[in-house]
Amino acid sequence: MTLIHGFELLREQDIPELNTHARLFRHAKTGAELLSLENDDENKSFGVAFSTPPADSTGVPHIMEHSVLCGSRKYPVKEPFVELLKGSLNTFLNAFTGSDKTMYPVASQNVQDFYNLIDVYLDAVFYPRITPQTLEQEGWHYELDDPGEPMTFKGVVFNEMKGAYSDPENVLGRFTQQALFPDTPYGHDSGGDPAVIPDLTYEQFKMFHDTYYHPSNARIVFWGDDDPDTRLSIVNDYLKDFDRLDTLDVTIPLQPRFAEPRSVTLPYDAGEDGAEGRKAYLTVNWILADNSDTETTFALEILSHILLGTPASPLRKALIESGLGEDITGGGVDTDLRELTFSVGLKGIAPDGAGAVEALILDTLADLAGNGLDRETVEASLNTIEFSLRERNTGSFPRGVLAFVQTLSTWSYGGDPLEPLAFEGPLSAIKARLDADPRLFEGLIRTYLLDNTHRVTLLLTPDETLRAQQDDAERARLDAVRAAMSDEDVQRIIAETEALRLAQETPDSPEALATIPMLTLDDLDRDNKLIPIETLARHDTRVFYHDIFTNGIVYLDLGMNLYALPAEDLPYVRLFGRALLEMSTETQDYVRLAQRIGRTTGGIHPSILTSTVHPTREGTAWLFLRGKATTDKADELLAILHDVLLTVKLDNRERFRQIVLEEKARQEAKLAPAGHMVVYGRLKSHFHEADWASEQMQGLDYLFSLRTLADRIDADWPGVLARLEGIRARLVRRAAMVANVTLDAGAWSAFEPALDGFLAGLPQEEVDLARWTPARSATNEGLIIPAQVNYVGKGANLYAQGHSFDGSLLVVNDYLQSTWLWEKVRVQGGAYGGFSAFDRNTGTFVFLSYRDPNLLDTLDIYDATGDYLRKLDLNDDELTKAIIGTIGQLDAYQLPDAKGYTSLIRTLAGDTDERRQQMRDQILSTTPADFKRFADLLDEVRTHGQVVVLGGQNAIEEANTARAGWLDVRKVL
């Protein structure tokens, strides 16, 4: 057997659809498997994964994921992960805990940076310093400062999961999995149930790592253009000191099938006095099949898209048009577990309507299986999925990290890791089967859904007493533990609390920090990477063209100037954008329109852009229809855009009502999982017109408007319709539009005449731009939702206080997030995240926290930030890290469509290449004096800043009482 750096080659093959050569290795000494994916992607990726099936719901896999990144043998600092965040050019740096596996992926365009990241991660997973204090910080601990005070639970994951359990849809997904898989590890919560997390002992915690974080249980993936042999050498240096572990069994057993369907009803937290008006969630859920057969998996994924993937999909359409609920819930097919599942239902239903929803789902499936699926719907779904597979547009998510995750869907269970990547074979086989049997998908409905008795119907109902029950149970548990303690035990808990706090506050030594590998400023490009752009004028419309290779795809962004509308129309903009694509045209109903889009394009979707224009500080706001198609279908893309802009019929009241209710449900659903972004948008809206407009179109003000509009549709439909028609008349005019095209030059020469003809066919009326008068509030806000945690924000407009921009501000802001805020808000405060954000266009600076158990204490941390900077003794290495980290964000990797759209945004915002180069020069020239200068700016935030808090009723009301009614309190949900 020939070994290459300790590895034996098991097999190799080309994957033409990914332009990749794959080689699968096994480490001879340990049995670790390594997949080397070799291609020309400069955004190199690496990942190491371990099978980590949970035996209970203490969340030990999740806590371990956090903990191994808290210092290791080779890198004995408190947070190597954070040190990398500070000073790396990474394009991805994170870790995930799944239901049965834990993954550690990284990515970078710089090869030395890439190897640095890999080295830190491999040392972290194989040689972590997981002490009792690590569990206390990242998992849970008793916190007590004085014998006379009540004892509490603290811990990062403990509070993260309290936030997760405050989100009904998150709870719905967790309960669904547990109900479908009661007899396997999937019946436990690998993330951790807050009521169970404190059962985890340090001995169990340590044993979990000893058991599962071994090379014999490791699967490793490389992707990109780095040297293939170096990959093996790097990993062998870590594996060679281990021996094979033959006793480890990580097999996930198959769930024994139910003899008959089951029904489960469970409560969710509706908040105090919150059950009235809150509605229920219902899903019908199945286990489908073992995921070992890739062709079956592909077929079921296509079926899921056929049934649910677009507004015109038959099962989705039946549910939405029933009026039984507000929006779809359940994600269709899920391929993340050993066995595939399917879930579908409605949210926003009456609790007594569960039977009707369940019956509708089953009856609709029976009708589709019996009477057949629309052939055009099937064709559209096949084209949509095939386009997505070939384009492989992962957005800001590195393609190599996606490949890593995809391989694990089979590899983790003993399957072939290449099967999920090599899609041509199974896709061709499915097409051939469909040609031979046009009722292929009807048969899948019958086999995997209708005739499948392993089905669970889950009803989640609002309960206004659940929070009190949970709080009382937690308090009773803590009181019982406290009552059983001796005086010596109490003093021990106080001492441990103080010791943990001291460890958290004690900085790493310079010697320890010096072990973290880092680049130098000489490794950085001095000049920005430019995106090609050409500005043209066609029939009163500005056209921006970007000559970028797109592999045969045309990306077209068609924008409409929202300043053509009066301010009172802004809450309708997002709805109007959806209506253009989800309502009937003169020649096609919305089902046929959706099929047409799916059959001939890669998709069209609406998007809103708002920004400040440099140097005027005026606003710019646009509604875009963002479309893409292969170049041979570009004419059809333009034809569809012509039809939806000029011939869409907006007079279908029921269809528009459905869109409004879906939007309302989606806006409400994001409050808990994305509360920090809700707070961020709300705060920014106080300071600038463009951000105020964004709040009207996609923030909390938008949600409030949707609730009013839902009633107005019934009370004054003619008035609503007149407003929609007015919006179309004002926006769909050549002079109020821009077109943004990303395409290589050869294809552009063929597409340009077609685009010219399209623009010539648009209305030519003059455009009068409106002046908006934002109604800004100067009050601090306390916004109540049913939640066990808070999202705390404070911000101010620094430019309004007379300050101006310098690139060094971005360096200081980046440094604050990875030091002061990380340490004080997350590590010591127990929140899942602490952030700050600076908008260089508007001058708005904002502090934010995520899933935060605190409120006033977090605001005190924000207010102390200026003093922290004044006292900061910043050495050269720390400054260099901060500069490198900032440049890394500036040079974030982008796919072709993202490059073109980014260039468009910069152009509309007046962000010239010259201005951006000046900013880069200032970043690279940042000095410690700039940190001191920023402290004075933060004094303005402390003195003049406004506060927005989204969180639980008790926390907000207690804080408001403590500071004598300083918050304007409002119930949001």
Side-chain angles (χ1 to χ4, degrees):
M1 177 175 61
T2 301
L3 297 182
I4 308 172
H5 299 294
F7 285 90
E8 59 176 314
L9 178 64
L10 301 181
R11 56 182 286 217
E12 62 181 318
Q13 73 178 64
D14 288 325
I15 308 178
E17 48 268 61
L18 301 185
N19 192 28
T20 292
H21 182 68
R23 293 192 295 166
L24 180 62
F25 296 90
R26 179 183 292 120
H27 192 249
K29 191 166 185 282
T30 65
E33 294 187 345
L34 185 151
L35 179 60
S36 183
L37 299 170
E38 301 154 18
N39 52 50
D40 61 0
D41 191 346
E42 63 180 342
N43 196 20
K44 292 160 277 290
S45 299
F46 162 87
V48 55
F50 302 92
S51 294
T52 52
D56 51 42
S57 292
T58 59
V60 60
H62 186 189
I63 297 168
M64 187 61 66
E65 174 225 309
H66 283 237
S67 299
V68 301
L69 297 172
C70 292
S72 64
R73 172 198 64 174
K74 192 173 177 182
Y75 305 110
V77 299
K78 292 187 295 183
E79 303 272 7
F81 175 76
V82 179
E83 296 305 320
L84 291 174
L85 284 174
K86 288 181 190 177
S88 166
L89 295 175
N90 74 84
T91 55
F92 193 88
L93 184 70
N94 213 329
F96 315 130
T97 301
S99 297
D100 59 12
K101 63 183 76 74
T102 309
M103 298 155 275
Y104 297 88
V106 299
S108 179
Q109 298 175 81
N110 180 289
V111 68
Q112 185 57 55
D113 187 50
F114 182 55
Y115 293 155
N116 291 347
L117 297 172
I118 293 170
D119 195 57
V120 173
Y121 262 46
L122 286 174
D123 205 67
V125 298
F126 290 125
Y127 298 102
R129 298 189 310 169
I130 43 176
T131 67
Q133 283 190 337
T134 310
L135 173 61
E136 291 169 11
Q137 174 179 294
E138 297 300 322
W140 76 277
H141 66 276
Y142 297 119
E143 182 151 298
L144 185 64
D145 291 312
D146 185 274
E149 296 177 352
M151 192 165 65
T152 61
F153 289 126
K154 262 295 184 57
V156 172
V157 169
F158 179 76
N159 286 312
E160 177 188 349
M161 296 313 296
K162 277 200 167 187
Y165 274 72
S166 296
D167 175 6
E169 291 202 63
N170 189 301
V171 170
L172 183 67
R174 292 174 187 276
F175 288 169
T176 294
Q177 180 176 305
Q178 291 166 20
L180 281 173
F181 295 94
D183 307 309
T184 80
Y186 298 143
H188 306 298
D189 189 344
S190 64
D193 182 337
V196 183
I197 288 173
D199 292 341
L200 180 63
T201 67
Y202 176 70
E203 290 71 26
Q204 292 170 319
F205 175 67
K206 184 69 169 62
M207 179 60 69
F208 189 86
H209 183 272
D210 293 344
T211 301
Y212 294 107
Y213 279 66
H214 189 280
S216 299
N217 187 36
R219 294 172 180 86
I220 300 165
V221 176
F222 283 84
W223 166 284
D225 64 358
D226 56 303
D227 179 63
D229 280 356
T230 302
R231 297 172 172 182
L232 304 180
S233 175
I234 289 172
V235 175
N236 181 57
D237 282 345
Y238 273 93
L239 304 187
K240 64 186 180 183
D241 295 331
F242 290 87
D243 294 316
R244 187 185 295 263
L245 186 65
D246 294 321
T247 59
L248 180 63
D249 181 10
V250 293
T251 303
I252 302 293
L254 297 175
Q255 169 64 43
R257 293 301 191 255
F258 301 160
E260 58 184 21
R262 300 179 181 181
S263 295
V264 179
T265 300
L266 294 166
Y268 76 87
D269 178 12
E272 296 181 18
D273 304 319
E276 183 178 355
R278 299 299 301 281
K279 297 183 179 180
Y281 298 70
L282 180 130
T283 53
V284 183
N285 314 277
W286 292 262
I287 294 180
L288 304 180
D290 184 345
N291 76 352
S292 59
D293 181 44
T294 303
E295 186 178 319
T296 299
T297 299
F298 265 80
L300 290 169
E301 287 182 298
I302 295 169
L303 174 64
S304 181
H305 191 275
I306 291 169
L307 295 175
L308 298 170
T310 74
S313 295
L315 182 54
R316 180 189 187 94
K317 181 173 180 288
L319 286 166
I320 292 297
E321 291 186 351
S322 72
L324 295 171
E326 295 178 343
D327 196 9
I328 293 289
T329 191
V333 164
D334 186 339
T335 62
D336 288 340
L337 309 179
R338 181 181 176 186
E339 297 184 85
L340 309 176
T341 63
F342 186 91
S343 178
V344 63
L346 279 175
K347 56 186 172 185
I349 73 168
D352 61 0
V357 176
E358 179 184 32
L360 177 60
I361 291 170
L362 297 176
D363 290 347
T364 301
L365 291 172
D367 179 70
L368 293 171
N371 295 322
L373 293 159
D374 188 304
R375 293 303 99 191
E376 291 190 6
T377 296
V378 174
E379 182 184 340
S381 290
L382 268 170
N383 180 75
T384 297
I385 289 175
E386 184 171 357
F387 187 102
S388 176
L389 289 169
R390 297 193 187 286
E391 181 193 25
R392 205 166 179 81
N393 192 329
T394 57
S396 60
F397 198 78
R399 286 171 166 165
V401 175
L402 175 62
F404 167 56
V405 174
Q406 288 176 319
T407 62
L408 297 174
S409 66
T410 51
W411 201 8
S412 294
Y413 315 111
D416 182 353
L418 299 183
E419 282 192 358
L421 304 180
F423 61 81
E424 290 285 9
L427 187 62
S428 297
I430 291 167
K431 288 180 177 180
R433 286 172 60 189
L434 187 61
D435 287 341
D437 177 13
R439 291 182 58 84
L440 168 66
F441 292 105
E442 288 87 344
L444 296 179
I445 293 174
R446 177 71 61 190
T447 299
Y448 290 101
L449 299 175
L450 292 173
D451 294 341
N452 182 355
T453 58
H454 196 98
R455 185 176 85 226
V456 175
T457 299
L458 180 60
L459 176 65
L460 206 59
T461 59
D463 186 341
E464 64 185 19
T465 68
L466 183 62
R467 169 73 56 75
Q469 295 174 36
Q470 292 170 336
D471 289 347
D472 289 347
E474 182 177 309
R475 186 72 265 155
R477 177 175 184 170
L478 285 163
D479 290 346
V481 172
R482 176 70 180 270
M485 287 181 175
S486 64
D487 290 344
E488 290 78 10
D489 291 332
V490 171
Q491 290 302 318
R492 176 177 54 81
I493 295 298
I494 292 174
E496 289 175 353
T497 299
E498 179 58 30
L500 177 61
R501 188 172 294 128
L502 179 62
Q504 292 168 337
E505 293 175 349
T506 302
D508 291 307
S509 69
E511 294 77 15
L513 287 171
T515 64
I516 300 293
M518 58 180 286
L519 303 175
T520 69
L521 295 184
D522 290 337
D523 294 314
L524 305 181
D525 292 331
R526 308 301 297 187
D527 298 324
N528 285 325
K529 296 179 180 178
L530 303 182
I531 300 173
I533 183 171
E534 183 179 355
T535 303
L536 311 168
R538 295 290 185 271
H539 306 288
D540 301 324
T541 301
R542 282 183 295 167
V543 177
F544 305 111
Y545 165 61
H546 313 280
D547 179 6
I548 299 173
F549 177 71
T550 61
N551 200 28
I553 297 173
V554 56
Y555 296 99
L556 171 63
D557 309 303
L558 192 66
M560 293 162 271
N561 191 339
L562 296 178
Y563 274 90
L565 302 178
E568 56 267 26
D569 282 351
L570 294 179
Y572 287 78
V573 167
R574 190 179 183 95
L575 299 165
F576 174 73
R578 285 191 58 184
L580 289 176
L581 299 168
E582 298 179 31
M583 296 182 77
S584 302
T585 67
E586 289 179 353
T587 59
Q588 292 176 307
D589 63 28
Y590 80 89
V591 174
R592 296 301 178 198
L593 175 62
Q595 292 169 344
R596 181 183 174 194
I597 292 171
R599 287 196 325 271
T600 60
T601 77
I604 307 171
H605 70 273
S607 180
I608 293 171
L609 167 65
T610 60
S611 180
T612 306
V613 180
H614 180 80
T616 66
R617 309 285 184 221
E618 295 177 354
T620 187
W622 298 83
L623 171 64
F624 281 97
L625 295 183
R626 303 194 63 197
K628 55 189 173 183
T630 54
T631 51
D632 62 314
K633 298 290 180 64
D635 287 348
E636 181 60 15
L637 173 63
L638 292 172
I640 293 171
L641 290 171
H642 173 275
D643 289 353
V644 300
L645 287 171
L646 299 181
T647 75
V648 69
K649 299 172 68 175
L650 300 169
D651 58 354
N652 186 334
R653 176 166 62 178
E654 291 309 308
R655 180 66 192 130
F656 187 70
R657 186 206 313 277
Q658 293 159 12
I659 292 173
V660 170
L661 292 177
E662 285 179 356
E663 279 291 303
K664 182 177 81 70
R666 292 173 188 181
Q667 293 298 313
E668 290 173 344
K670 77 178 186 181
L671 292 173
H676 62 310
M677 297 308 297
V678 174
V679 169
Y680 183 51
R682 190 76 174 170
L683 270 173
K684 290 181 68 179
S685 72
H686 291 304
F687 305 122
H688 197 277
E689 181 176 276
D691 294 318
W692 169 85
S694 180
E695 177 73 3
Q696 310 310 303
M697 294 185 284
Q698 46 198 4
L700 273 185
D701 280 339
Y702 175 53
L703 171 58
F704 301 148
S705 297
L706 287 169
R707 290 170 175 169
T708 302
L709 180 58
D711 294 329
R712 189 182 172 200
I713 289 171
D714 289 325
D716 181 23
W717 172 243
V720 173
L721 178 58
R723 189 175 292 274
L724 290 172
E725 293 288 7
I727 290 172
R728 172 165 56 181
R730 292 186 179 94
L731 291 185
V732 186
R733 301 181 181 185
R734 294 182 204 165
M737 303 179 79
V738 297
N740 188 63
V741 182
T742 306
L743 188 64
D744 57 87
W748 168 244
S749 61
F751 179 67
E752 184 180 14
L755 178 63
D756 187 271
F758 165 78
L759 295 174
L762 298 177
Q764 196 175 1
E765 287 91 343
E766 294 293 323
V767 176
D768 294 322
L769 299 183
R771 296 189 64 85
W772 300 335
T773 307
R776 299 192 183 102
S777 169
T779 61
N780 299 315
E781 293 186 288
L783 305 167
I784 294 174
I785 61 172
Q788 303 176 65
V789 289
N790 307 303
Y791 306 87
V792 183
K794 185 171 185 177
N797 187 338
L798 301 182
Y799 294 166
Q801 309 301 323
H803 303 289
S804 58
F805 175 74
D806 185 278
S808 64
L809 303 184
L810 301 181
V811 179
V812 185
N813 177 64
D814 185 60
Y815 180 82
L816 284 175
Q817 294 191 83
S818 58
T819 54
W820 171 255
L821 294 174
W822 179 279
E823 293 162 4
K824 292 296 182 181
V825 178
R826 178 184 167 110
V827 174
Q828 297 173 34
Y832 187 41
F835 320 98
S836 58
F838 180 71
D839 186 330
R840 65 190 180 94
N841 285 338
T842 65
T844 302
F845 182 89
V846 173
F847 290 110
L848 297 164
S849 69
Y850 183 69
R851 290 182 178 172
D852 191 346
N854 307 305
L855 199 163
L856 295 178
D857 288 349
T858 298
L859 290 170
D860 288 341
I861 292 168
Y862 297 164
D863 289 346
T865 306
D867 289 338
Y868 163 75
L869 287 177
R870 287 189 185 88
K871 298 173 183 176
L872 180 65
D873 183 14
L874 189 69
N875 61 44
D876 290 343
D877 282 350
E878 288 298 294
L879 176 58
T880 297
K881 286 180 186 177
I883 292 172
I884 291 171
T886 305
I887 292 292
Q889 294 179 36
L890 207 64
D891 293 347
Y893 183 78
Q894 292 185 312
L895 295 174
D897 64 315
K899 289 180 180 178
Y901 192 63
T902 295
S903 179
L904 166 70
I905 294 171
R906 292 173 182 170
T907 301
L908 294 176
D911 194 13
T912 64
D913 289 339
E914 291 76 17
R915 180 184 181 228
R916 290 180 56 76
Q917 185 60 49
Q918 181 185 46
M919 175 181 65
R920 189 185 194 92
D921 294 341
Q922 292 167 343
I923 290 170
L924 292 169
S925 302
T926 300
T927 68
D930 294 313
F931 283 67
K932 308 298 183 186
R933 184 170 63 89
F934 198 68
D936 296 332
L937 275 66
L938 294 184
D939 288 345
E940 303 288 354
V941 182
R942 180 180 62 196
T943 304
H944 302 289
Q946 288 185 244
V947 171
V948 174
V949 179
L950 183 73
Q953 183 170 340
N954 287 342
I956 287 176
E957 290 181 347
E958 288 173 6
N960 207 30
T961 300
R963 293 196 179 178
W966 62 295
L967 291 173
D968 180 12
V969 177
R970 180 175 188 176
K971 189 172 182 180
V972 175
L973 193 61

